[in-house]
Amino acid sequence: MTKETPKQAPATPQAIRGTQDIFGPDAEAFAFVVETFERVRRLYRFRRAEMPVFEKTTVFSRSLGETTDVVSKEMYSFEDRGGESLTLRPEFTAGIARAYLTNGWQQHAPLKLATHGPLFRYERPQKGRYRQFHQIDAEILGAGEPQADVELLVMADQILKELGIADGVTLQLNTLGDASSREAWRAALVDYFRAHKAELSEDSQERLEKNPLRILDSKDPRDKVFTADAPMIDAFLSDEAQDFFGKVTAGLDAAGVAWTRAPTLVRGLDYYRHTAFEFVTDRLGAQGTVLGGGRYDGLIEALGGPHTPAVGWAAGIERLAMLVGDKGEAPLDIVIALESDALLEFAINRLTQLRRAGLSAEMVASGSPKKRFDKAGKMGALQLVSISERDGKAFVNIRGENRDAARTALINGILAP
């Protein structure tokens, strides 16, 4: 009689590389970022929008450019059953621009939009960067005035302040000029870098003809030797472009938003104009940008629409949450230690009323009375309440050192037998 080979238990499924399961304090920090963004965008009257997680691949290849790393190396693209090439969105702006065109949202211009959600890029996972990641995003479409740039930057600054992470974060600001300024600058950069082509990094040699502006923000030491002496945009700015940038900086000064000039801060794609900006910190290692964006007056045209000025920014929720840390965890207002099972229904009724009054509340009602009280005392609530029985009636005792008068009065009013 032969023995049957015991069946091996199936392997436990593992998360896909570059994705994450968010729980506990990390999830609270993540939620705090989203809640703060939603609250502040309402103050600025940005309208909520939701777009599909996937689009036709051409939406991104036409908007981001076939030669960019995102399109050529990082997009999750697939063919559906109908034979059409679709792509999981690697960023929000292209999908928003497509929705603006196809849904007739031009009638609402200037249109202030805000959204958040997951994005997908096949890149090397590192601290604060994932293949499925999440962003908050704000855009103003159909507004060509510098005030739109100012409003977006002031809103971003307020979000960072209300998240409690503004210390050590710097707004870096630059101008890319108008179309003629940018083209003149681009030509000067090509002439300059051609003279040093053999000494540039391989990436920069490839970018020289296609995207020379991107050489300026190269981190490769071989390129940095030459970028310091490269032509800067200020020498090529038209009077109109100088005036536009002056109004942006004056608006920021009026709003009390600190900024610093960053003359090598660029956007490589041709449809970017005028303002480019990043909020940066040294608290996240080499990848220090926490929020970035700029004016993209030529994008709608690249997608086949009419000339439509627009400006926007995006920020990674995971990276913001890392800076938030445990500041995202809301305190527990009250915990009830129920010391008499005969009063369970009374305690459930009062617990429900506390929560409906806007107080976060928990109840410990299992184990011995002493253990219930000890467990409740370790939960870190602002106020500890014990409910016991005396002479056949509920006896409520509010304890704790964190006795805020208004909260205590509210609790007393609800818990009174």
Side-chain angles (χ1 to χ4, degrees), residues 98-314:
R98 190 273 310 153
Y100 182 81
L101 286 173
T102 58
N103 295 315
W105 291 353
Q106 300 97 316
Q107 64 182 306
H108 304 295
L111 177 59
K112 302 195 292 187
L113 287 180
T115 191
H116 61 81
L119 304 168
F120 305 86
R121 290 190 186 184
Y122 190 86
E123 58 183 349
R124 183 172 63 86
Q126 53 188 298
K127 182 179 181 181
R129 290 189 181 272
Y130 302 91
R131 290 176 176 174
Q132 177 179 320
F133 57 103
H134 302 77
Q135 285 185 348
I136 53 176
D137 183 279
E139 316 278 346
I140 303 180
L141 298 97
E145 303 80 18
Q147 175 55 31
D149 307 48
V150 173
E151 180 162 12
L152 272 167
L153 285 164
V154 174
M155 181 172 77
D157 182 74
Q158 182 167 344
I159 288 170
L160 297 178
K161 283 183 168 67
E162 298 206 11
L163 287 173
I165 60 175
D167 288 347
V169 176
T170 303
L171 168 57
Q172 296 187 349
L173 193 67
N174 197 21
T175 175
L176 305 177
D178 50 22
S180 59
S181 304
R182 181 190 170 104
E183 186 53 40
W185 183 31
R186 184 186 185 283
L189 287 172
V190 170
D191 289 342
Y192 172 78
F193 284 121
R194 271 180 183 159
H196 307 286
K197 182 174 181 179
E199 299 163 272
L200 296 174
S201 68
E202 292 76 11
D203 283 345
S204 290
Q205 289 183 33
E206 187 176 339
R207 290 168 177 160
L208 178 54
E209 305 298 334
K210 300 174 183 175
N211 223 335
L213 272 67
R214 290 195 61 202
I215 300 176
L216 293 175
D217 63 2
S218 170
K219 304 299 187 290
D220 194 302
R222 291 172 290 178
D223 300 326
K224 283 184 173 293
V225 174
F226 302 105
T227 55
D229 295 324
M232 292 290 107
I233 182 63
D234 288 19
F236 305 93
L237 288 176
S238 65
D239 291 343
E240 293 80 7
Q242 290 181 17
D243 181 64
F244 191 103
F245 190 56
K247 287 178 178 175
V248 172
T249 56
L252 292 174
D253 292 341
V257 175
W259 58 276
T260 183
R261 183 71 189 277
T264 61
L265 197 164
V266 297
R267 295 287 180 263
L269 299 171
D270 289 340
Y271 53 73
Y272 277 99
R273 306 279 191 273
H274 294 295
T275 319
F277 54 87
E278 291 181 354
F279 287 81
V280 300
T281 181
D282 58 4
R283 284 181 279 163
L284 291 173
Q287 301 293 332
T289 302
V290 295
L291 185 151
R295 176 164 283 279
Y296 51 94
D297 288 355
L299 173 58
I300 301 290
E301 286 180 89
L303 290 175
H307 173 70
T308 306
V311 59
W313 57 253

